[in-house]
Amino acid sequence: MKKSLGNITDRLDFWSLRPVAVTGVSGTRVLLGFVGLMYYVSQYQERNYLFGPDGVLPHEDFKAQLTGFSLYTLSASPWYFQLVYHLGIAAALAVMLGVGGRPGLAVHWALLWSVYQRQPGLLDGGDNLAYVVIPFLLLTRCYDRFALPVGLASRLTRRVPGHLRALSVPFHNLGVLMVAAQICLVYVVSGLYKVMGEEWQDGTALFYIMRVAEFELPGWSHLVYENDALVVLGTYGTVAFLVYFPVGVLVPALRPWAAAASICFHLSIAFFMGLTGFALTMIACDLVFLSGALDRALLWGRGRLPGSRASRSGRTSQADAAPADPATAERPSGENTTQPSAPQAELV
């Protein structure tokens, strides 16, 4: 009993003092910023027709049918529309580059929500996940990696008392868990919903999906739906993968493989069905489970950069000096550097 309580205490200490999956959520931030930027840029030439106050959905009709909120409802002025749309582009680019911190991420979320609401007919499903995940990222330290250095943010952070900065770690870990739980929920609900469909039960669903005109890839889709073996394996394999994905990520040894399989699955959706925004949003969330692999890949890449002394003479000494868990080097400024022994992070 005492041993069990001790393990629980150690785990609580670990989750309150050591941030997990920092590289993973940073990659999630970058990719979600890229998805938003891609959406704005891909519609840029037709922006007045699609989103403008005098476009395919006039401003008054848009206001009448809107059930949520959108910044585009505040004015019917074409100049206001252009301002908000271009602010959205700037905010998405800033999030992708790691500029602006949490306030910038919150602005990006509001602007992205607004433009999605302005023309729902263009959405592919990835918007629903972005709505939920971006607020979770506000809790995390997703700007610790893949971000341009900003001196102002560092100076402001140093002015915050150390005990308040230390609170960022448990909030960060909570945000990581919420992102992981959300993506698992998406997989399970999607898989169980498919199980109830007759076509998914008899193994023919992939045949019908790939023949839908909106999702068919000319010259390629027929190679799949004309092959009975691929149709059956693809149909049943999709259901099995979606339902059992959470089981895979719960097992540390299987977690990277489950995440890699999910990335391949959504890349195939992007290629064959053209749902690029949806696929990239799902892949962005999968990066939370690949944080440890990303850390190792970055370390490997840095060691092989031209002129890197670490790749020739200092690699061994740096490896000995580095902490066993990359997350242990990611403490907020002012936090005590002496950490209690604790189990390894589960989401790295």
Side-chain angles (χ1 to χ4, degrees):
M1 183 66 179
K2 290 183 178 180
K3 184 178 180 180
S4 300
L5 291 175
N7 290 335
I8 294 174
T9 302
D10 289 343
R11 190 169 293 274
L12 288 175
D13 287 341
F14 177 84
W15 279 89
S16 62
L17 297 174
R18 303 170 75 180
V20 299
V22 175
T23 304
V25 291
S26 298
T28 300
R29 185 213 79 236
V30 172
L31 200 47
L32 288 180
F34 172 77
V35 171
L37 182 63
M38 180 181 68
Y39 183 82
Y40 283 110
V41 172
S42 64
Q43 317 295 342
Y44 190 80
Q45 292 295 330
E46 303 295 333
R47 66 188 184 282
N48 294 311
Y49 175 72
L50 294 173
F51 308 108
D54 300 318
V56 63
L57 184 61
H59 186 263
E60 293 303 321
D61 295 341
F62 168 57
K63 289 179 64 177
Q65 73 175 32
L66 182 66
T67 57
F69 83 91
S70 175
L71 296 175
Y72 292 91
T73 63
L74 300 181
S75 175
S77 169
W79 289 102
Y80 175 78
F81 159 71
Q82 296 292 345
L83 174 64
V84 175
Y85 193 87
H86 286 86
L87 282 176
I89 296 176
L93 180 62
V95 169
M96 186 180 72
L97 296 178
V99 177
R102 291 182 178 92
L105 185 59
V107 170
H108 169 63
W109 179 85
L111 291 167
L112 193 64
W113 175 290
S114 298
V115 76
Y116 281 161
Q117 293 294 313
R118 185 65 180 88
Q119 192 53 265
L122 298 177
L123 304 179
D124 60 7
D127 56 292
N128 294 321
L129 188 59
Y131 290 157
V132 178
V133 169
I134 292 178
F136 294 162
L137 289 181
L138 292 174
L139 298 174
T140 69
R141 296 168 57 178
C142 60
Y143 282 84
D144 281 15
R145 300 285 186 272
F146 313 126
L148 296 178
V150 180
L152 177 61
S154 300
R155 289 194 295 270
L156 291 176
T157 301
R158 285 195 294 269
R159 292 179 178 273
V160 178
H163 63 279
L164 291 179
R165 290 200 299 270
L167 290 176
S168 69
V169 177
F171 277 110
H172 163 85
N173 291 339
L174 176 62
V176 171
L177 282 177
M178 293 170 74
V179 173
Q182 179 63 40
I183 194 68
C184 289
L185 183 64
V186 169
Y187 282 122
V188 170
V189 172
S190 177
L192 294 179
Y193 184 79
K194 287 177 172 58
V195 168
M196 297 185 292
E198 182 179 349
E199 290 80 9
W200 292 98
Q201 293 175 5
D202 60 26
T204 61
L206 197 62
F207 173 82
Y208 297 105
I209 291 172
M210 301 199 72
R211 290 178 63 87
V212 176
E214 291 82 1
F215 300 139
E216 187 174 2
L217 180 64
W220 290 88
S221 294
H222 72 94
L223 299 176
V224 177
Y225 65 69
E226 290 179 356
N227 188 309
D228 294 341
L230 287 179
V231 169
V232 173
L233 288 175
T235 301
Y236 288 138
T238 297
V239 174
F241 166 74
L242 293 174
V243 172
Y244 291 106
F245 175 84
V247 178
V249 298
L250 286 175
V251 181
L254 297 178
R255 189 174 301 130
W257 300 103
S262 177
I263 290 175
C264 293
F265 174 72
H266 288 102
L267 286 177
S268 67
I269 290 177
F271 179 77
F272 283 104
M273 302 179 67
L275 301 176
T276 308
F278 165 76
L280 290 179
T281 302
M282 296 294 292
I283 291 173
C285 296
D286 287 330
L287 294 181
V288 171
F289 303 109
L290 288 173
S291 188
L294 290 174
D295 279 322
R296 291 188 290 273
L298 289 174
L299 208 59
W300 181 86
R302 288 169 184 164
R304 281 156 180 77
L305 287 175
S308 174
R309 295 183 178 181
S311 62
R312 294 190 295 269
S313 61
R315 186 182 305 165
T316 303
S317 60
Q318 289 183 8
D320 293 337
D325 182 358
T328 59
E330 300 160 345
R331 304 183 183 92
S333 177
E335 183 182 340
N336 189 353
T337 58
T338 304
Q339 302 290 355
S341 60
Q344 291 292 317
E346 293 186 356
L347 291 173
V348 296

